[in-house]
Amino acid sequence: EVQLVESGGDLVQPGGSLRLSCVASGFSFSSYWMNWVRQAPGKGPVWVSRIKSDGGGATYADSVKGRFTISRDNAKNTLNLQMSSLRAEDTAMYFCVRDNVAFDIWGRGTMVTVSS
Amino acid sequence: DIVMTQSPDSLALSLGERATINCKSSQSVFYSSNSKNYLAWYQQKPGQPPEMLLYWASTRGSGVPDRFSGSGSGTDFTLTISSLQVEDVAVYYCQQFYSTPPTFGQGTRVEIK
């Protein structure tokens, strides 16, 4: 079964840091570009970041550029998102998403809450 | 960034009725070199992640029922549910993947009347 499982979400204070991870199974992880997409409560999805299959070519939404870093370990079938200088507006469910033409496989998400 | 605008924001229909959701992009998402529209549709049920329904504007994803269809080209697109079922209650989003950043519409909530 094709599956993406995120972890690492938590309650964190403004200005804090957090590292999200996503473990892929059931497909050849190293063959696909991967994304992080977030969704604030009651809002629509918003793309955050993308990384190419070989780990190069990372791109970011302007709202997170310079604060978030996407990375992957193809040997461990793992996608990561290092988040720093977190703000209240970063509060959202964060989804790990496979890029296959469109966003064809989504994890169930991990919740990040930024609040004092 | 390409702005995606959906209409209506919500609709309530009876079981078996046809549902039509529109999506307009602020610039064309048609790539002439391969004659494809870089437009996808997603369905999100409460408490679940979005699920891809259609890509290339009209190609159904794996396992998607054929009551879901997509049409349009360039900047104007439509998602049609031919006969609304209880399990179709959800929020539907269009998304362009023509350029970075990929962007989503604001969503259309579909309910049973």
Side-chain angles (χ1 to χ4, degrees):
Chain A
E1 179 191 7
V2 174
Q3 199 170 9
L4 297 168
V5 179
E6 304 92 335
S7 62
D10 205 348
L11 170 62
V12 60
Q13 292 190 341
S17 298
L18 209 56
R19 183 178 178 86
L20 306 183
S21 293
C22 167
V23 177
S25 59
F27 66 98
S28 179
F29 178 72
S30 62
S31 298
Y32 292 89
W33 294 20
M34 295 295 296
N35 299 270
W36 286 100
V37 174
R38 69 185 181 186
Q39 187 170 29
K43 303 295 185 181
V46 175
W47 174 80
V48 172
S49 182
R50 170 188 285 151
I51 190 167
K52 293 183 178 180
S53 54
D54 64 359
T59 51
Y60 301 92
D62 286 345
S63 58
V64 307
K65 204 171 293 183
R67 300 188 299 123
F68 289 13
T69 302
I70 191 172
S71 63
R72 65 190 296 163
D73 184 338
N74 285 342
K76 296 181 178 179
N77 289 346
T78 300
L79 177 72
N80 302 301
L81 186 68
Q82 180 67 47
M83 305 185 295
S84 62
S85 302
L86 283 162
R87 308 166 181 167
E89 54 265 35
D90 295 319
T91 294
M93 184 72 77
Y94 283 73
F95 297 102
C96 170
V97 185
R98 189 174 80 171
D99 203 314
N100 183 24
V101 179
F103 292 175
D104 70 333
I105 303 294
W106 296 62
R108 293 199 63 83
T110 188
M111 187 67 199
V112 173
T113 303
V114 183
S115 175
S116 54
Chain B
D1 298 3
I2 297 177
V3 177
M4 308 299 290
T5 304
Q6 294 180 225
S7 62
D9 289 334
S10 65
L11 71 163
L13 298 168
S14 301
L15 288 173
E17 282 197 297
R18 175 186 298 262
T20 301
I21 300 169
N22 300 302
C23 173
K24 189 174 185 66
S25 57
S26 61
Q27 63 189 76
S28 176
V29 298
F30 179 75
Y31 194 39
S32 57
S33 67
N34 60 5
S35 298
K36 291 188 182 297
N37 288 284
Y38 283 58
L39 189 285
W41 288 96
Y42 300 86
Q43 175 192 64
Q44 188 173 29
K45 298 180 180 180
Q48 297 185 20
E51 178 182 339
M52 188 183 73
L53 291 176
L54 302 162
Y55 59 98
W56 299 141
S58 61
T59 302
R60 275 188 293 275
S62 175
V64 175
D66 60 7
R67 64 179 180 274
F68 292 93
S69 63
S71 62
S73 185
T75 61
D76 292 279
F77 300 91
T78 299
L79 171 68
T80 301
I81 309 173
S82 60
S83 176
L84 192 65
Q85 305 299 305
V86 170
E87 59 265 34
D88 301 335
V89 170
V91 179
Y92 293 83
Y93 297 96
C94 62
Q95 178 219 19
Q96 66 80 18
F97 51 100
Y98 178 87
S99 66
T100 301
T103 47
F104 294 84
Q106 82 278 15
T108 295
R109 185 175 302 276
V110 174
E111 299 172 326
I112 302 295
K113 192 187 299 182

